[in-house]
Amino acid sequence: MEEKLSYSKILDIIKGKAVNESRYLENKYKGFITTDFTDELMFSDSDLFEKVVRIESLPIKDSDKHKRIKGRKGIYVFRVKNEVEVNYFNFNNHTAHGAPIRYSLRKIDKFSKDGCLYVGKSDNFYERMKVHFGDPDTGTGGLRIANSYRKMLQDNVVCYCFVFKKSRHQLYEYIARGIEKELNEKLNPYIGNK
């Protein structure tokens, strides 16, 4: 007799997949700290992720890299490349729109080299990176590194975009939030949902 899939059983399967995939990304991410790459790395050992694309700045419009992430879904992780001193009040409370950063920021005075700055998910990497790296007036929320109070990050962070395989895009809505949550717990980013 075939076992029926209940809603809770489906949730357990999705959670298990999210835990396994977050471990995979955590190990890849930690490996980049010691052996980084310059542009893009294809994965042959993941069922869910096709590749990781490294982004350090915008503009990437009209570049080959732009084409590789436009409209693509996945998980991204910001890493601090060099130690950065931070004025907590200015960093957290001043944005282009005068509103504080939407996510919790640990009360610290510096971001350490190779620390995890932020973990996120996106259903269109290029548009999301425009918010994070681009014009401070782009969007109403998000990290917005171009903001004058966050410019100290501009040359000191790298973002790894872990791109879902196109054949797995339909899983994004079900699993991305779980992977993001697991990575937030494991990597303990300076900025994130706590």
Side-chain angles (χ1 to χ4, degrees), residues 12-122:
D12 287 345
I13 291 168
I14 290 170
K15 184 173 183 193
K17 183 75 171 161
V19 168
N20 289 339
E21 291 296 336
S22 69
R23 281 189 198 125
Y24 175 82
L25 294 187
E26 177 187 18
N27 290 333
K28 291 288 185 187
Y29 169 77
K30 287 182 175 177
F32 300 152
I33 292 171
T34 55
T35 310
D36 210 345
F37 62 100
T38 56
D39 188 40
E40 177 179 287
L41 209 60
M42 300 301 288
F43 296 141
S44 60
D45 57 349
S46 174
D47 177 50
L48 192 62
F49 295 97
E50 175 186 331
K51 61 188 170 185
V52 58
V53 177
R54 181 182 181 180
I55 297 176
E56 292 189 65
S57 64
L58 283 178
I60 56 171
K61 190 175 183 177
D62 299 325
S63 70
D64 185 44
K65 194 176 283 191
H66 170 235
K67 293 174 187 145
R68 287 182 271 158
I69 65 170
K70 187 172 184 181
R72 299 299 299 271
K73 300 177 180 194
I75 306 294
Y76 59 94
V77 181
F78 276 92
R79 175 174 65 91
V80 180
K81 293 191 308 186
N82 302 300
E83 185 174 289
V84 177
E85 291 188 17
V86 178
N87 177 313
Y88 171 82
F89 177 79
N90 284 340
F91 189 93
N92 193 50
N93 292 310
H94 291 93
T95 67
H97 302 282
I101 200 162
R102 288 189 309 187
Y103 306 104
S104 63
L105 170 66
R106 289 193 264 149
K107 291 185 178 179
I108 54 175
D109 59 359
K110 68 180 177 182
F111 297 139
S112 299
K113 182 181 189 302
D114 294 327
C116 179
L117 182 68
Y118 184 72
V119 175
K121 63 183 176 5
S122 179

Side-chain angles (χ1 to χ4, degrees), residues 173-190:
E173 295 300 325
Y174 301 105
I175 201 167
R177 183 171 288 146
I179 295 172
E180 179 186 32
K181 181 179 182 276
E182 289 288 323
L183 285 175
N184 267 304
E185 289 174 10
K186 291 175 181 175
L187 298 177
N188 194 25
Y190 293 115

